[in-house]
Amino acid sequence: MSQYQQDLDTFATLRAAQNGTWNGINPEYAARMKAQNRFKTGLDIARYTAAIMRKDMQEYDQDSSQYTQSLGCWHGFVGQQKMLSVKKHQGTTSKSYLYLSGWMVAALRSEFGPLPDQSMHEKTSVPALIEELYTFLRQADARELGDLFKQLDNAKANGGDVAAIQEKIDNYETHIVPIIADIDAGFGNEEATYLLAKKMIEAGACCIQIENQVSDAKQCGHQDGKVTVPHEDFLAKINAVRYAFLELGVDDGVIVARTDSLGAGLTQKIPVSQQPGDLAAQYNAFLDTTPVNSVADLDEGDLVLKQDGQLVKPVRLPNGLFKFKPNTGFDRVVLDCITSLQHGADLLWIETEKPHVRQIGDMVDAIREVVPNAKLVYNNSPSFNWTLNFRQQVFDAWQEAGKDVSGYDRDSLMSAEYDGSELAAEADQKIKSFQADAAREAGIFHHLITLPTYHTAALSTDNLAKGYFGEDGMLAYVKGVQRREIREGLACVKHQAMAGSDLGDTHKEYFSGEQALKASGKDNTMNQFDV
């Protein structure tokens, strides 16, 4: 017996026990409303989606072609439309997640207005967006199931295939998918990280991504001036997130440890080493230092360290920050990742300056020498100039292979004059296969784009505004938007229904029967799209 049928029987029995006082309640309607609200709380969602992620991680370990993907979404409606599209075109939501970008929260969701990605926005904006995203995804479920219930009623009334429609209801695939949620550097100390993590998990997050930058000096991963923290400080925050998961009963919650060390040349703090070779000593070994042979080598206020039996002073900038040795980013990334995985993290995020499979793969290979099943969440970032990067990669490969590249200027490969060239075509093919190649060769389990919908909103608005306020007038909207929605089968063309008017009508009918005042009658202009 399906869950839907069990609920129907339960409500029928419950109504019968009320001595007629519940005769206004239809058990089938109650069962339908319960089916349309499968997830009662954010914790229900977090537990459900954590199990999905763990299963997907296992499947990736067995077959790297089973990688997962997501797009960053800055509003519940954007996330809803994304998952409706995925389900429509792919036939399933499997292996498709949502990403919540701290960058987009800062840029688009702060009461201060647009902000840089420096953890200056309200920390409550993050769990609020998680809750909003899941509210819209749950509404997508309710709307689609509502349509199926209407089809079921029509089949019953007109001799249709009731069993086939009931099977679709019983096996309905939800739009609820995992969200990888960005907590930046924790918005404070480890207690602040724990408190915010709890709010995020309660809102539905099964996966929290945290980075090893200094919280109050946090920078976007693709900007300069990044400052990292010692391993002990970062591990304390990983512990804080794990405790939050365990306290709330999400025992298989997922933690993504992000390292920014590849592009970070500074540290704010020199950790205290307790014994030779410990984590603090390994961290400090990367510091840029100068020898100290006597007191004369010291300036007022200088610090002195003992390293390998020698006295040295770390190079300190006027702002009090300390420098790392040049060209140590690779080794620091590897140590960060191994340490994080050995102390409770589940997945890694290595922030790089370019999308290069071999660069990522070399670091992952080094990590896997110690942690064989290490795998990444990777940012297919809009901060990369993908066209230029891959054209230059192809140029370099051709040049190394002895192929004639005299017809190309490497520094100008972004120029539109190359768009139809053989080199551009090969570069585009490499961009197309980047996710599959990197999943296979560089241990990337999850590919995401942090802020694509920021850019799509800007591009589509620019195109509409250009035509609408220009020569095309109303045709700009009709041809560029509405007609395309109709031709491409976007449910959103019926925006009233998408916003819940049909659901509201159904509920009114449940509650009031024939007295219900419904919005979807013959005069509803949405009927113009039933063609």
Side-chain angles (χ1 to χ4, degrees):
M1 181 184 295
S2 69
Q3 183 63 51
Y4 176 76
Q5 190 62 50
Q6 289 181 39
D7 290 336
L8 198 159
D9 292 347
T10 297
F11 290 137
T13 301
L14 187 60
R15 185 182 76 162
Q18 307 307 313
N19 299 318
T21 60
W22 282 18
N23 283 351
I25 300 298
N26 183 316
E28 185 155 22
Y29 294 167
R32 291 179 179 185
M33 293 177 74
K34 185 176 178 182
Q36 290 171 294
N37 187 27
R38 172 181 172 185
F39 301 96
K40 307 300 186 289
T41 69
L43 288 177
D44 291 338
I45 292 171
R47 295 184 187 108
Y48 170 78
T49 53
I52 290 175
M53 276 200 75
R54 292 289 179 178
K55 177 176 176 290
D56 287 345
M57 290 161 66
Q58 290 177 354
E59 291 178 356
Y60 172 82
D61 286 340
Q62 297 165 5
D63 178 1
S64 63
S65 70
Q66 300 302 302
Y67 60 90
T68 57
Q69 299 169 286
S70 66
L71 298 175
C73 300
W74 53 273
H75 191 278
F77 178 73
V78 175
Q80 178 197 63
Q81 294 305 302
K82 174 200 150 182
M83 292 315 303
L84 287 172
S85 178
V86 167
K87 195 172 180 183
K88 180 178 75 171
H89 294 293
Q90 305 299 322
T92 178
T93 60
S94 177
K95 302 292 191 291
S96 299
Y97 302 172
L98 295 181
Y99 180 67
L100 185 151
S101 163
W103 192 101
M104 285 206 287
V105 172
L108 299 170
R109 299 302 300 259
S110 172
E111 292 184 9
F112 292 100
L115 294 172
D117 183 21
Q118 296 174 352
S119 291
M120 294 192 293
H121 57 276
E122 308 86 345
K123 64 176 66 176
T124 52
S125 299
V126 181
L129 179 53
I130 296 170
E131 183 177 7
E132 178 182 293
L133 284 162
Y134 280 127
T135 297
F136 274 79
L137 294 181
R138 290 159 71 184
Q139 193 256 14
D141 282 357
R143 189 185 62 84
E144 282 196 356
L145 280 166
D147 289 342
L148 287 173
F149 292 137
K150 289 179 181 177
Q151 293 176 33
L152 184 65
D153 290 339
N154 289 334
K156 288 178 178 179
N158 301 304
D161 193 344
V162 173
I165 299 171
Q166 186 64 59
E167 184 179 4
K168 289 181 180 180
I169 294 169
D170 294 339
N171 296 297
Y172 179 77
E173 183 183 39
T174 177
H175 293 88
I176 298 294
V177 296
I179 287 178
I180 297 176
D182 186 2
I183 199 173
D184 284 1
F187 284 84
N189 62 21
E190 57 267 44
E191 173 69 3
T193 301
Y194 154 76
L195 292 171
L196 179 55
K198 278 183 62 177
K199 289 294 185 184
M200 293 167 67
I201 298 163
E202 288 169 341
C206 73
C207 178
I208 293 177
Q209 165 219 326
I210 187 166
E211 61 201 54
N212 70 336
Q213 292 191 51
V214 175
S215 186
D216 61 357
K218 184 259 188 305
Q219 295 275 28
C220 173
H222 295 279
Q223 292 183 323
D224 204 357
K226 292 186 292 183
V227 186
T228 62
V229 298
H231 294 99
E232 296 89 341
D233 293 23
F234 188 53
L235 297 180
K237 292 187 176 182
I238 289 176
N239 288 339
V241 175
R242 180 64 65 202
Y243 274 112
F245 274 126
L246 295 175
E247 177 183 337
L248 295 171
V250 186
D251 297 346
D252 52 356
V254 179
I255 299 175
V256 178
R258 168 176 148 178
T259 172
D260 282 272
S261 290
L262 195 63
L266 302 170
T267 185
Q268 189 180 55
K269 180 178 177 182
I270 296 178
V272 177
S273 176
Q274 303 297 325
Q275 57 186 12
D278 62 10
L279 278 177
Q282 293 178 67
Y283 189 79
N284 292 339
F286 292 116
L287 292 171
D288 194 4
T289 60
T290 58
V292 175
N293 297 310
S294 70
V295 174
D297 293 329
L298 299 175
D299 295 324
E300 188 74 21
D302 271 350
L303 300 177
V304 177
L305 299 176
K306 181 180 178 182
Q307 286 186 340
D308 299 324
Q310 303 294 318
L311 293 180
V312 297
K313 65 176 182 179
V315 175
R316 186 165 57 174
L317 302 180
N319 56 16
L321 298 175
F322 300 93
K323 289 178 62 178
F324 288 115
K325 296 174 185 175
N327 303 315
T328 59
F330 181 103
D331 292 330
R332 284 184 283 126
V333 164
V334 172
L335 180 60
D336 291 344
C337 291
I338 291 171
T339 301
S340 296
L341 292 176
Q342 290 177 333
H343 293 82
D346 302 292
L347 295 168
L348 303 170
W349 172 316
I350 300 174
E351 195 72 277
T352 67
E353 83 287 358
K354 61 180 179 291
H356 194 290
V357 172
R358 196 62 258 151
Q359 178 199 34
I360 306 161
D362 286 346
M363 289 184 283
V364 171
D365 289 345
I367 296 163
R368 284 182 166 176
E369 289 179 8
V370 180
V371 186
N373 69 337
K375 45 191 168 289
L376 302 188
V377 170
Y378 186 72
N379 177 11
N380 294 205
S381 177
S383 292
F384 302 145
N385 185 330
W386 286 77
T387 300
L388 181 60
N389 267 286
F390 276 84
R391 287 181 181 181
Q392 290 181 336
Q393 288 179 39
V394 172
F395 180 97
D396 294 342
W398 282 8
Q399 188 174 60
E400 185 176 348
K403 189 169 181 176
D404 181 15
V405 293
S406 60
Y408 300 96
D409 178 356
R410 189 182 188 279
D411 293 333
S412 302
L413 286 174
M414 188 63 211
S415 173
E417 70 178 280
Y418 295 121
D419 285 354
S421 68
E422 180 187 359
L423 185 147
E426 184 168 328
D428 281 354
Q429 185 57 44
K430 288 185 175 295
I431 294 171
K432 181 178 179 180
S433 66
F434 174 79
Q435 293 186 338
D437 294 342
R440 181 182 63 253
E441 300 173 24
I444 296 180
F445 157 73
H446 185 80
H447 283 277
L448 62 88
I449 309 179
T450 43
L451 44 140
T453 52
Y454 177 91
H455 292 278
T456 55
L459 179 61
S460 61
T461 301
D462 179 76
N463 287 332
L464 175 59
K466 177 176 61 177
Y468 182 76
F469 293 100
E471 293 182 0
D472 287 346
M474 192 58 198
L475 183 61
Y477 173 76
V478 172
K479 185 177 179 180
V481 181
Q482 188 180 80
R483 193 178 298 162
R484 289 188 62 186
E485 287 180 314
I486 295 170
R487 299 288 187 253
E488 296 176 27
L490 267 68
C492 196
V493 71
K494 292 188 175 184
H495 47 259
Q496 304 284 14
M498 184 61 66
S501 64
D502 287 3
L503 282 172
D505 278 356
T506 299
H507 290 162
K508 290 175 188 177
E509 191 172 10
Y510 290 174
F511 306 153
S512 304
E514 294 182 357
Q515 300 178 52
L517 179 63
K518 297 191 289 185
S520 58
K522 63 180 180 63
D523 292 328
N524 188 318
T525 56
M526 290 291 100
N527 294 328
Q528 296 175 29
F529 298 100
D530 291 328
V531 292

